[in-house]
Amino acid sequence: MTSSRREFLKSSATVAAVGFAANLASPRMVGAAASASRFAEDALRIAPTVGDPAIRALVLAAIDEAKRAGASYADARISQNRSRTLATRERRVQNLSDNETLGCGIRVLVDGTWGFAATRELTSDAIARTARLAVAQARANRRTQVAPVQLAPVTPTPNGTWSSPIRVDPFSVAIEDQVALLLRANEAALGVAGVKFVNSAMFFLREEKTFASTDGTVTVQTIYRSQPSMTVTAVSSDNSDFQSRQSTDIQPHGLGYEHVLDGKLVENAPRWGAEAVEKLKAKPVDVGRYDLVLHPSHLWLTIHESVGHPTELDRAYGYEANYAGTSFVSPPEKMLGTLRYGPEMLNVQGDRSQPGACATVGFDDEGVVPEDFLIIKDGMVNDYQTTREQANWLKWWYEKNGKPVRSHGCSYGDNWSSVQFQRMPNVSVLPGPKEQSFEDLIAATDKGIAIVGDGSFSIDQQRYNAQFGGQLFYEIKGGKVVGMLKDVAYQMRTPEFWNALDMLGGKKSYELGASFFDGKGQPGQSNSVSHGCPPTRHRQINVINTGRKA
């Protein structure tokens, strides 16, 4: 049985959100349900939500009902999220899943207090009931209000549309073909002498959102994200050591299946295997201080942890603490324009505009068109990541600098059932004016270590003290790589590490790294974010040997 979405919404009592595990023969289906707790015997295919007039009518009805119930402000999001995960090991498939969820979240302000409610039932009655429930929730929350919420102004977008710049929808590619590609890549890695284990995976996400607010904004977006990955493990002949190489040079992107094809997993697998084998024979690092030359495939994670998280404004004010801590860049009143994060050459931009980046969107989940802004300007703390509510917390700073009080567009909810809140945009170290490559930085270094790829890390609850590993480590002497090292990790205090920066690559060496699953909040939500950067050099950083036994 098949039906158009509009016909389905007219005739169905509910639409149930469905997650199901797919096998190689599974069709894509969403069950029509008589209630949210059980599925009907028949299933029907549901067309995408994007641009459907029936969906637009529902989000507009939601905010109208919230206004009638007493809300001073309301917004509604109907989103249909589809995700696919494929995982293999050596010559077998370990996991296949294809999940889809659909519903509506409604957020309101009543007397300056937030309320939120969500439903998977996409009918006029259910939407109206949920809007009234959100208003009731706001009134109940009123008793805990410390100060009324004030939203920064926004320019309405009455008919906004945006889509990720993809060439191939990953969900249009047969699962059999995607699995076959992973198994071919595994076989290519296993062909390298010394390689014993190979794991490979693909993850895809498509978010289709329709948003409306009482400010007059209505937007429709389709957002894609894709992540291919491999881990190749080599084992020594006497089984005394093993070393792994992850495919960190192929980072997650806000692109389609073309990103997987461009990653050339099959062609690159033998190189990753050979590098894993080479690590078995690498020299253990001697502890001490070294000049570090950091490749973008490594540095993105250091940026994420030591710059991205501590400049989230809710962390800086202590409103976010349970999930990964607060921030040493606090309080903002004493940090803005005062704290030297790094040398004058250090400029860090927040944005949601870089093509192919994981946090890039046309509109955030408050209907704001995001803007590019400098978090670190000429080495000094210059701004924080904000939403419409948070922008007013920094009103004094923006007025002092002659800037309008407006959100940077950093609001996001990972699902229709999740309330949107401040999430990290793309946070990137801008390249320097001089065109310098990773190899140029190595050539300018007398004694150091070049690090490629991200690895394990740890960082404290204020993002101040940290330790980072990597994938590949190369000893530098006299401007040349003289061999591979292993068991390398460097220790840092965030301001000292960034102030030790003395060389910066140029535009041609700039690359994007990414975190596909960045957690925050309670209950937890997951956000995808990219961090661009050129290679950098940091002087006299303390390096430890992680392989030493106590």
Side-chain angles (χ1 to χ4, degrees):
M1 182 178 80
T2 60
S3 173
S4 72
R5 173 175 297 278
R6 192 176 307 167
E7 291 168 347
F8 178 60
L9 291 173
K10 288 179 179 178
S11 61
S12 173
T14 62
V15 172
V18 177
F20 63 91
N23 57 40
L24 292 180
S26 293
R28 175 192 175 199
M29 294 191 299
V30 173
S35 70
S37 62
R38 68 178 180 85
F39 302 127
E41 292 182 0
D42 294 328
L44 75 160
R45 298 178 184 274
I46 293 181
T49 63
V50 173
D52 194 312
I55 295 298
R56 181 187 176 101
L58 283 176
V59 291
L60 291 174
I63 60 175
D64 287 346
E65 183 62 28
K67 288 280 285 186
R68 281 192 292 270
S72 59
Y73 167 85
D75 58 45
R77 284 176 296 127
I78 290 180
S79 64
Q80 182 177 8
N81 289 8
R82 187 175 180 192
S83 63
R84 177 182 291 177
T85 302
L86 305 91
T88 73
R89 176 174 174 179
E90 287 90 52
R91 298 178 176 93
R92 63 184 183 271
V93 178
Q94 284 194 306
N95 179 54
L96 292 173
S97 66
D98 201 325
N99 302 302
E100 191 157 1
T101 179
L102 170 67
C104 179
I106 303 170
R107 188 180 64 154
V108 303
L109 274 177
V110 178
D111 297 328
T113 304
W114 287 118
F116 178 82
T119 180
R120 65 185 69 195
E121 300 182 37
L122 298 188
T123 64
S124 297
D125 288 346
I127 292 294
R129 184 169 60 250
T130 304
R132 293 191 295 271
L133 180 60
V135 170
Q137 184 66 60
R139 289 199 172 104
N141 292 341
R142 176 65 178 81
R143 69 190 67 182
T144 63
Q145 184 191 92
V146 176
V149 171
Q150 295 182 333
L151 299 181
V154 63
T155 301
T157 305
N159 292 291
T161 60
W162 188 87
S163 182
S164 298
I166 73 162
R167 298 196 307 271
V168 182
D169 187 332
F171 298 96
S172 71
V173 179
I175 291 178
E176 297 94 329
D177 294 340
Q178 294 172 342
V179 168
L181 175 58
L182 292 178
L183 293 177
R184 288 200 306 274
N186 292 359
E187 202 64 40
L190 289 169
V192 177
V195 170
K196 299 299 182 184
F197 307 104
V198 185
N199 295 85
S200 61
M202 296 181 193
F203 182 83
F204 305 107
L205 176 66
R206 181 178 65 207
E207 293 184 85
E208 299 172 287
K209 298 191 211 183
T210 300
F211 171 92
S213 78
T214 50
D215 288 321
T217 289
V218 181
T219 61
V220 176
Q221 299 191 87
T222 305
I223 302 164
Y224 287 87
R225 300 184 186 96
S226 299
Q227 179 182 17
S229 64
M230 290 191 72
T231 301
V232 183
T233 301
V235 180
S236 61
S237 57
D238 62 358
N239 295 322
S240 63
D241 190 17
F242 70 91
Q243 296 289 335
S244 295
R245 170 68 159 109
Q246 297 175 11
S247 58
T248 51
D249 32 346
I250 303 177
Q251 293 286 331
H253 273 54
L255 298 172
Y257 193 67
E258 70 276 1
H259 180 51
V260 175
L261 300 178
D262 293 343
K264 298 185 181 301
L265 295 178
V266 177
E267 294 84 348
N268 282 314
R271 172 173 61 85
W272 294 326
E275 288 168 345
V277 172
E278 187 180 2
K279 288 171 73 173
L280 292 171
K281 300 177 182 179
K283 183 178 73 173
V285 67
D286 292 327
V287 299
R289 291 190 174 270
Y290 294 84
D291 294 346
L292 299 184
V293 178
L294 304 179
H295 191 270
S297 62
H298 168 84
L299 185 60
W300 75 267
L301 181 59
T302 306
I303 296 168
H304 178 82
E305 299 296 342
S306 68
V307 183
H309 277 309
T311 58
E312 293 174 292
L313 191 56
D314 52 0
R315 292 191 195 279
Y317 275 120
Y319 296 120
E320 174 72 19
N322 286 343
Y323 204 136
T326 54
S327 169
F328 78 94
V329 193
S330 176
E333 290 78 7
K334 293 184 178 180
M335 297 293 160
L336 284 164
T338 302
L339 176 64
R340 177 159 290 284
Y341 224 89
E344 286 191 5
M345 71 175 72
L346 180 64
N347 292 282
V348 180
Q349 177 177 280
D351 69 73
R352 306 192 74 177
S353 61
Q354 293 185 71
C358 285
T360 296
V361 295
F363 314 92
D364 79 345
D365 282 351
E366 292 183 316
V368 173
V369 177
E371 62 180 359
D372 299 353
F373 60 103
L374 285 177
I375 298 172
I376 308 296
K377 182 179 180 181
D378 299 330
M380 305 297 289
V381 175
N382 180 68
D383 213 334
Y384 291 80
Q385 306 158 44
T386 61
T387 63
R388 290 187 66 190
E389 176 183 359
Q390 294 171 340
N392 279 306
W393 302 351
L394 299 180
K395 183 177 180 179
W396 62 273
W397 174 249
Y398 296 141
E399 290 179 342
K400 177 181 177 181
N401 289 275
K403 298 179 180 179
V405 178
R406 77 177 297 270
S407 167
H408 290 316
C410 300
S411 180
Y412 177 74
D414 67 356
N415 199 291
W416 56 267
S417 60
S418 301
V419 64
Q420 60 267 56
F421 68 127
Q422 190 276 313
R423 298 309 311 271
M424 195 184 300
N426 304 310
V427 174
S428 304
V429 171
L430 298 182
K434 184 178 180 181
E435 205 57 74
Q436 300 181 100
S437 66
F438 184 59
E439 291 73 20
D440 291 335
L441 270 59
I442 291 174
T445 302
D446 184 52
K447 178 190 175 184
I449 299 172
I451 303 179
V452 176
D454 59 271
S456 61
F457 75 96
S458 62
I459 194 163
D460 69 17
Q461 294 292 293
Q462 281 69 50
R463 309 285 162 165
Y464 189 77
N465 297 285
Q467 177 177 306
F468 288 87
Q471 291 296 308
L472 304 175
F473 313 97
Y474 297 98
E475 185 176 13
I476 304 170
K477 287 187 178 180
K480 295 182 179 179
V481 170
V482 297
M484 184 180 279
L485 299 170
K486 65 180 178 180
D487 304 328
V488 176
Y490 60 90
Q491 296 175 318
M492 57 174 270
R493 292 187 177 93
T494 296
E496 294 174 9
F497 171 81
W498 287 107
N499 277 284
L501 171 70
D502 75 335
M503 290 189 77
L504 193 62
K507 289 182 180 179
K508 292 181 180 178
S509 63
Y510 182 92
E511 296 181 13
L512 283 173
S515 172
F516 215 111
F517 302 104
D518 177 35
K520 184 181 178 181
Q522 196 175 37
Q525 294 189 35
S526 181
N527 180 46
S528 297
V529 59
S530 290
H531 303 285
C533 59
T536 59
R537 188 176 74 174
H538 304 253
R539 300 301 292 269
Q540 295 300 292
I541 305 300
N542 194 52
V543 170
I544 63 173
N545 185 314
T546 61
R548 281 190 172 182
K549 297 179 180 179

